[in-house]
Amino acid sequence: MVHKLDIQEVYSKKLNFMRFIFLGVGEAFDENYPNNSHLVITERTKLLLDCGMTAAPQVWKFNPDPNLLDAIYISHWHADHYFGLPGLLLRMWEGGRTMPVTIISRKGFKEQFKKLMDLAYLGFQEKFKFEINILEAEVGKETKFNDLSLSFTKTVHSSENLAVKISDNKNTIAYSGDGSPIAGTDFYNNLDLLILETYLYDKEIIGHSSIVSAISFAEKNNVKCLALTHINRDFRKNDLPKIREKIKSDKVKIIIPEPLQEYDL
Ligand SMILES: [Zn+2]
Ligand SMILES: [Zn+2]
């Protein structure tokens, strides 16, 4: 179902379930689909997952409130996953944000973030009327944020990428960021929702999952629902409509979401 941009609903009553919004579902350079970026909404938290160069406008389209987000998770430092941050933060500032925001990413992000902000809008961060807290994500260490528990694991990608698992004690989901997941851990077992980056149908490219391998991975891990995102732009446009029927599983519900589509858990 495509989200009806019912902003009032998100605010007027607290959700007693986890809502996942696929803000953008595209790969790095797709002219039709904004970069892979998602919003997790629970009773007490609104967490953005990744914010690439074409993702920030999706956040504003969904809801332009400058105080919307509590936290932002950055899976890895590729432009299609974090170059939207300066614009997102400056629009929060222009909108009069007062609430602190937490950015979570792997070790070293503080320096990387400073470089990014200096390059994009030198001197502007000092004007912000809100605090930016940086939390370091570490493999094997659980991070608590409001009503969420977050844990992290590496994937196989061309840059160090950490997949994140998010639990609100009722539901558990995981988002791969980029890269194929590493088998042989219980990290992905019994998830209610797994958002996996995939690139092509059955052709394996180092650093990316294929649709076929993603389905088999989700089946082995007893995942309830698998969402396929970050699909190659030419494949998505030209081939996916022809083979859409082939993408199915007896064991796992599979969705290929459109931007701003929501999924309630
Ligand atoms: Zn990417
Ligand atoms: Zn990447």
Side-chain angles (χ1 to χ4, degrees):
M1 183 174 71
V2 175
H3 198 270
K4 292 182 290 295
L5 304 181
D6 192 347
I7 293 153
Q8 290 314 316
E9 185 201 7
V10 175
Y11 277 100
S12 59
K13 52 184 184 194
K14 286 204 164 182
L15 292 184
N16 58 1
F17 55 87
M18 190 189 276
R19 171 168 285 172
F20 195 90
I21 295 141
F22 300 92
L23 293 174
V25 296
E27 46 111 304
F29 316 116
D30 191 325
E31 68 273 36
N32 296 310
Y33 285 88
N35 296 152
N36 216 15
S37 175
H38 314 288
L39 185 58
V40 180
I41 302 178
T42 60
E43 202 176 329
R44 289 179 46 213
T45 309
K46 293 182 189 71
L47 167 70
L48 182 70
L49 301 176
D50 280 338
C51 187
M53 55 221 178
T54 60
Q58 292 301 104
V59 179
W60 307 324
K61 241 185 238 176
F62 173 70
N63 187 331
D65 186 319
N67 286 306
L68 177 77
L69 302 173
D70 301 298
I72 303 164
Y73 177 64
I74 301 296
S75 65
H76 67 301
W77 310 343
H78 277 165
D80 60 313
H81 293 260
Y82 82 126
F83 266 28
L85 275 179
L88 183 72
L89 294 167
L90 258 83
R91 181 154 166 169
M92 286 175 177
W93 166 67
E94 274 193 358
R97 182 173 180 117
T98 49
M99 278 169 49
V101 64
T102 298
I103 307 179
I104 306 163
S105 193
R106 74 170 164 87
K107 199 173 163 44
F109 188 72
K110 226 175 211 163
E111 295 77 50
Q112 191 70 8
F113 177 67
K114 189 184 175 327
K115 278 195 241 167
L116 177 69
M117 291 302 288
D118 285 353
L119 192 64
Y121 292 104
L122 187 65
F124 271 77
Q125 204 186 322
E126 288 112 66
K127 302 181 191 180
F128 291 179
K129 301 281 191 302
F130 58 96
E131 261 175 64
I132 299 174
N133 304 311
I134 307 241
L135 264 183
E136 280 185 358
E138 220 179 285
V139 173
K141 200 183 109 190
E142 196 173 65
T143 297
K144 296 271 182 202
F145 185 86
N146 286 351
D147 54 349
L148 302 181
S149 306
L150 311 175
S151 50
F152 311 91
T153 194
K154 285 186 184 181
T155 65
V156 181
H157 192 49
S158 52
S159 160
E160 187 172 328
N161 173 87
L162 296 183
V164 57
K165 182 159 69 172
I166 303 159
S167 173
D168 67 349
N169 283 325
K170 285 174 254 166
N171 290 290
T172 305
I173 66 172
Y175 164 63
S176 67
D178 277 1
S180 32
I182 298 170
T185 75
D186 60 4
F187 188 85
Y188 299 96
N189 283 174
N190 306 316
L191 293 169
D192 296 295
L193 173 67
L194 170 61
I195 302 96
L196 265 194
E197 172 260 9
T198 48
Y199 206 61
L200 297 169
Y201 178 61
D202 54 2
K203 206 163 135 205
E204 303 288 337
I205 290 180
I206 293 179
H208 295 285
S209 291
S210 73
I211 291 176
V212 168
S213 64
I215 294 171
S216 146
F217 186 82
E219 286 175 343
K220 280 187 201 129
N221 281 281
N222 195 34
V223 168
K224 275 199 200 111
C225 179
L226 170 68
L228 304 170
T229 65
H230 207 287
I231 294 170
N232 169 270
R233 57 189 180 274
D234 296 324
F235 169 76
R236 183 161 192 146
K237 193 174 166 192
N238 303 321
D239 306 311
L240 187 63
K242 290 179 221 153
I243 60 152
R244 186 64 190 84
E245 294 302 301
K246 278 208 298 191
I247 300 170
K248 57 185 174 198
S249 163
D250 298 336
K251 298 182 187 130
V252 180
K253 177 179 173 177
I254 298 166
I255 53 175
I256 302 177
E258 290 290 315
L260 296 171
Q261 190 173 325
E262 66 179 29
Y263 185 85
D264 286 342
L265 291 114

